[in-house]
């Protein structure tokens, strides 16, 4: 495996013990190749200066750094020649030059989209460069990014790649009527907490699990901690389970202001809703699916009570273009794509 840092490469991991773990700093080259690389970098830097020397220094510096990174990736792939490279860094410009150098050695780049956006238009996603790109669904590509992504890139809608065969089996298990709220940092964070309080106070017959994604700034984490201690109703559970997918398979409802966890919960069998709290967010992606949208605690309560009373149907299949829940097992698909022929047992 190629780790981001030396510390990660040296970190103990029983699952990875039988594999070699390296970083891009393990690149090696010959003296002759190094001289050629220095010459190419000098020419590229001169060209970059002529075209973009007018840019502010920090921005120009980021462009110039890519020249050095290209040379480093070229040296890395002279030493290591994978037939396939799996990347989860579609948000980074590094993946583009890395995959360009990979192809020069005959390798193919496989990538997966890191999540779905809150705002439809994400600058990082205008420039995606893999040979095969696994996505939650096809809607984002077909509706908004078809003209931006390379035509040679194969788009495969596979749903949530964390939906393992074992988790698929658990989808048929009985689940509680509990509600999961997947919190994210937003400008309307206090409104989200108020909504959580109102929903939990209304549904006293069940637990309301609030899951706050960690390491999102001390201001928000401290605000959340105070809310738990001083304002949250007694049936609120602060969910800190390392495995978020366990919660998705146990609860019947998922509510979030924009986390991809919402659609992951939908694929896991929960009725998911997206809070549209900020009308100033002009391109809130989930507005493309009106059936998912709620705008207040009262909306959440009404939708859940309607489902349980049988007066409202929740049609998860209507969101297949958003998340391909009916797609074949991802791990079987991936094995087939990289030419592994041994059979895969799927429940």
């Amino acid at each position: 495996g190629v780790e981001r840092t030396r510390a990660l490469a040296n970190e103990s991991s029983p699952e990875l013990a039988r594999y070699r773990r390296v970083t891009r700093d393990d690149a090696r080259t010959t003296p002759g190749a190094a001289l050629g690389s220095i010459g190419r970098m000098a020419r590229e830097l001169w060209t970059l200066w002529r075209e973009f020397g007018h840019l502010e220094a920090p921005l120009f510096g980021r462009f110039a750094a890519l020249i050095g990174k290209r040379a480093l990736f070229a040296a890395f792939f002279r030493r290591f020649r994978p037939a396939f490279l799996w990347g989860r860094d579609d948000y980074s410009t590094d993946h583009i030059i890395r995959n360009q150098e990979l192809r020069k050695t005959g390798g193919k780049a496989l990538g997966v989209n890191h999540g779905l956006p809150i705002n439809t238009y994400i600058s990082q996603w205008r420039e995606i460069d893999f040979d095969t790109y696994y996505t939650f669904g096809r809607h984002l590509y077909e509706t908004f990014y078809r003209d931006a992504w390379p035509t040679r890139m194969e788009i495969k809608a596979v749903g949530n790649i964390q939906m393992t065969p074992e988790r698929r089996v658990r989808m048929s298990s009985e689940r509680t009527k509990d509600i999961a709220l997947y919190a994210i940092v937003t400008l309307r964070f206090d409104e989200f907490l108020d909504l959580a309080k109102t929903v939990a106070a209304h549904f006293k017959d069940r637990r309301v699990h609030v899951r706050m994604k960690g390491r999102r700034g001390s201001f928000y984490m401290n605000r959340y901690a105070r809310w738990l201690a001083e304002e949250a109703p007694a049936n609120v559970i602060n969910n800190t389970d390392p495995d978020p997918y366990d919660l998705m398979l146990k609860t019947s409802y998922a509510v979030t202001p924009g986390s991809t966890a919402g659609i992951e919960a939908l694929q896991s069998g929960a009725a998911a809703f997206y809070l549209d709290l900020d009308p100033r967010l002009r391109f809130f992606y989930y507005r493309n699916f009106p059936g998912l949208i709620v705008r207040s605690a009262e909306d959440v309560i009404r939708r859940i009570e309607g489902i349980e009373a049988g007066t409202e149907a929740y049609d998860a299949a209507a969101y297949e273009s958003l998340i391909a829940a009916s797609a074949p097992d991802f791990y079987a698909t991936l094995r087939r794509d990289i030419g592994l022929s041994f059979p895969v047992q799927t429940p």
Side-chain angles (χ1 to χ4, degrees), residues 40 135 151 231 332:
R40 282 191 298 275
T135 63
T151 56
E231 302 177 52

Side-chain angles (χ1 to χ4, degrees), residues 24-162:
R24 65 185 183 187
D25 292 337
D26 288 300
R28 297 291 184 272
T29 190
T30 64
L35 287 173
S37 180
I38 292 170
R40 282 191 298 275
M41 285 193 293
R43 290 192 297 273
E44 290 175 6
L45 186 60
W46 172 242
T47 301
L48 186 68
W49 175 257
R50 285 189 304 171
E51 295 293 331
F52 300 106
H54 62 280
L55 296 176
E56 294 183 2
L59 180 56
F60 181 83
R62 292 185 64 184
F63 282 132
L66 294 176
I67 295 174
K69 288 179 179 180
R70 180 185 295 280
L72 186 62
F73 283 126
F76 182 88
F77 291 123
R78 274 194 291 269
R79 183 179 185 188
F80 304 104
R81 291 179 174 263
F84 299 95
L85 188 145
W86 170 263
R88 292 198 65 184
D89 56 350
D90 53 357
Y91 53 84
S92 170
T93 53
D94 288 7
H95 88 271
I96 298 174
I97 57 172
R98 181 198 64 220
N99 294 343
Q100 289 172 346
E101 295 305 313
L102 171 68
R103 291 189 192 100
K104 293 177 182 177
T105 67
K108 291 188 176 181
L110 311 177
V112 60
N113 65 270
H114 217 68
L116 286 177
I118 297 176
N119 188 56
T120 299
Y121 302 102
I122 302 292
S123 60
Q124 296 93 324
W125 279 0
R126 290 190 62 185
E127 305 293 340
I128 300 293
D129 186 21
F130 292 96
D131 295 295
T132 301
Y133 192 44
Y134 301 98
T135 63
F136 284 96
R138 292 190 65 86
H139 179 270
L140 189 72
Y141 166 68
E142 297 285 0
T143 310
F144 299 107
Y145 286 92
R146 175 181 283 275
D147 292 338
W149 294 355
T151 56
R152 57 166 175 72
M153 185 167 72
E154 183 181 19
I155 308 298
K156 286 196 173 184
V158 295
N160 175 18
I161 68 169
Q162 301 295 339

Side-chain angles (χ1 to χ4, degrees), residues 136 158-160 163 168 171 262-270 323-325:
F136 284 96
V158 295
N160 175 18
M163 181 55 72
R168 286 181 187 272
M171 284 179 61
I263 62 163
E264 292 175 323
L266 188 157
Q267 182 174 355
S268 299
I323 184 163

Side-chain angles (χ1 to χ4, degrees), residues 9 27 60 74 79 141-142 146 165 176 197 259 282 321 332 339 344:
F60 181 83
R79 183 179 185 188
Y141 166 68
E142 297 285 0
R146 175 181 283 275
T176 69
K197 180 179 178 180
S259 171
R282 293 176 55 202
S321 65
V344 179

